[in-house]
Amino acid sequence: MHRIRLDNTVFEGLNNVYVLDDGPELVLIDAGVALPEVHEQLTEELAALGHDVADVDRVLLTHWHSDHAGLAGAIQSASGATIHVHEADAPLVAGDEASLLEERDLQAEKFREWGMPDDRREELSEFLGDHMDLGGEPCEATPFVDGDRFEVNGRTLEAVHLPGHAAGLTAFHDAGADEAFVGDAILPKYTPNVGGADVRVDDPLGSYVASLLALIDLDPDVAWPGHRDRIDDPAGRAATILRHHVERTRNVVDVLRREGPSTPWAVSAALFGDLHGIHVLHGPGEAYAHLDHLADHGVAERDGTRYALVDDDPDVASLFPDPGIDRVVEWEG
């Protein structure tokens, strides 16, 4: 297995593309963002390994986000490769117009629900519009579901559906090597955004917490993430991220206690300050995910675009399952 690191100046650092070529097939896990210079970089990196883009047989996508799936269409055009992606994300990767329009309409609805000011909504819409081409050309996407298995050069990769950051986010677990390719399910630095990164996800924080528990239960020796370096204690990292969300929920409760009924946008401003670029989406989305979690557990209630505490001194830890792991894996951000 080889790792190719592709440039990405828009999202969270360099993107990892994993090359499985220890047999008759050339298989990639993820594809990178659809920029000409990144496509050239991928071509050069594959050539250094003795391959051409036209040699790619299959691409396994961890999820639909442009920095992971953007070049899938170009790879398929050059090679005829089969592009595999979870059924929840397949229409977006395939460029299905109805699905893309539905996702955009849902975003616009969420922006209003979050109390995003008109000028910031316009700024974000302009930003997203300027980067629409990062999704690349449409492709024929072959959907899979949780538990499907892929035989790749003598190894078996099992799809493990881990929604939260994205509706279709999936890890590929190799039980033989006890390693997993996890996309953005967990990252070695920062915590994957929930709430804003994919507005299609119902109960985004609750879904993500369940996915973290699933990773803890899977407990692979090594995880290969979509960004940055390998994770040598994936279960410990997942537990650390879960505890981080407990603490962030406490911070959200503090904001509501101090400020009174507040929109996700106002809570986001209190937590993260002034945001720009993609973070205008991710900040209030993250605040919304935690507010929604509080409302689901009866700690807060929503009135229009505002959330208010029902319980002024909740036991926040009780709103989350115990990860059952005491190890702490360092994180930033």
Side-chain angles (χ1 to χ4, degrees):
M1 187 272 289
H2 307 278
R3 179 181 66 160
I4 291 175
R5 306 191 74 186
L6 298 178
D7 289 340
N8 177 2
T9 60
V10 179
F11 303 108
E12 203 278 308
L14 299 175
N15 275 87
N16 293 324
V17 171
Y18 298 98
V19 182
L20 308 180
D21 62 351
D22 53 344
E25 274 197 298
L26 176 58
V27 176
L28 305 184
I29 297 178
D30 282 346
V33 71
L35 288 171
E37 57 270 29
V38 177
H39 187 243
E40 181 179 354
Q41 189 180 10
L42 176 64
T43 301
E44 292 174 351
E45 294 287 347
L46 284 174
L49 297 173
H51 305 300
D52 189 271
V53 173
D55 300 330
V56 177
D57 295 294
R58 287 187 282 171
V59 180
L60 308 182
L61 296 176
T62 59
H63 59 299
W64 67 277
H65 288 156
S66 334
D67 52 333
H68 297 263
L71 285 174
I75 293 170
Q76 188 176 70
S77 293
S79 65
T82 304
I83 310 298
H84 298 277
V85 61
H86 188 274
E87 62 178 0
D89 288 357
L92 295 178
V93 172
D96 178 72
E97 290 188 11
S99 297
L100 291 169
L101 182 60
E102 182 180 358
E103 196 265 339
R104 288 192 208 107
D105 288 346
L106 186 55
Q107 274 191 338
E109 179 183 332
K110 290 295 185 184
F111 297 164
R112 289 190 292 270
E113 289 180 3
W114 297 346
M116 187 181 293
D118 289 345
D119 60 333
R120 304 310 299 274
R121 195 184 311 167
E122 291 171 7
E123 175 189 339
L124 178 58
S125 296
E126 183 177 343
F127 174 88
L128 295 174
D130 288 345
H131 293 88
M132 283 182 63
D133 58 338
L134 299 182
E137 60 185 271
C139 66
E140 181 180 343
T142 300
F144 61 77
V145 297
D146 181 59
D148 280 355
R149 296 186 175 192
F150 302 91
E151 301 299 326
V152 180
N153 298 330
R155 69 161 78 193
T156 300
L157 298 177
E158 181 175 354
V160 182
H161 186 209
L162 300 171
H165 177 69
L169 198 149
T170 298
F172 301 101
H173 179 228
D174 180 348
D178 202 14
E179 63 183 7
F181 301 90
V182 297
D184 290 356
I186 55 173
L187 296 172
K189 302 291 182 184
Y190 305 100
T191 57
N193 180 259
V194 291
D198 191 341
V199 295
R200 302 173 305 146
V201 180
D202 291 327
D203 184 18
L205 184 55
S207 296
Y208 185 51
V209 167
S211 293
L212 291 173
L213 292 175
L215 263 176
I216 291 169
D217 186 59
L218 191 67
D219 195 21
D221 278 349
V222 172
W224 299 100
H227 304 271
R228 301 179 183 265
D229 298 322
R230 61 181 273 169
I231 301 170
D232 289 321
D233 182 6
R237 176 65 182 149
T240 299
I241 292 174
L242 196 158
R243 285 190 289 268
H244 158 73
H245 280 292
V246 175
E247 186 59 31
R248 176 154 288 171
T249 301
R250 288 195 179 100
N251 294 338
V252 170
V253 168
D254 288 343
V255 173
L256 293 181
R257 188 185 295 119
R258 182 175 67 248
E259 304 293 337
S262 302
T263 64
W265 178 263
V267 172
S268 171
L271 292 175
F272 310 121
D274 193 24
L275 301 172
H276 298 281
I278 194 64
H279 299 294
V280 177
L281 171 63
H282 287 173
E286 185 85 22
Y288 155 73
H290 288 77
L291 290 165
D292 185 61
H293 195 69
L294 289 170
D296 282 348
H297 286 82
V299 173
E301 61 182 4
R302 176 179 164 184
D303 182 9
T305 62
R306 296 179 183 274
Y307 291 79
L309 286 176
V310 174
D311 180 351
D312 199 50
D313 188 24
D315 180 4
V316 171
S318 70
L319 309 181
F320 293 84
D322 185 343
I325 294 179
D326 293 330
R327 300 189 302 274
V328 175
V329 178
E330 292 295 329
W331 64 280
E332 294 179 5

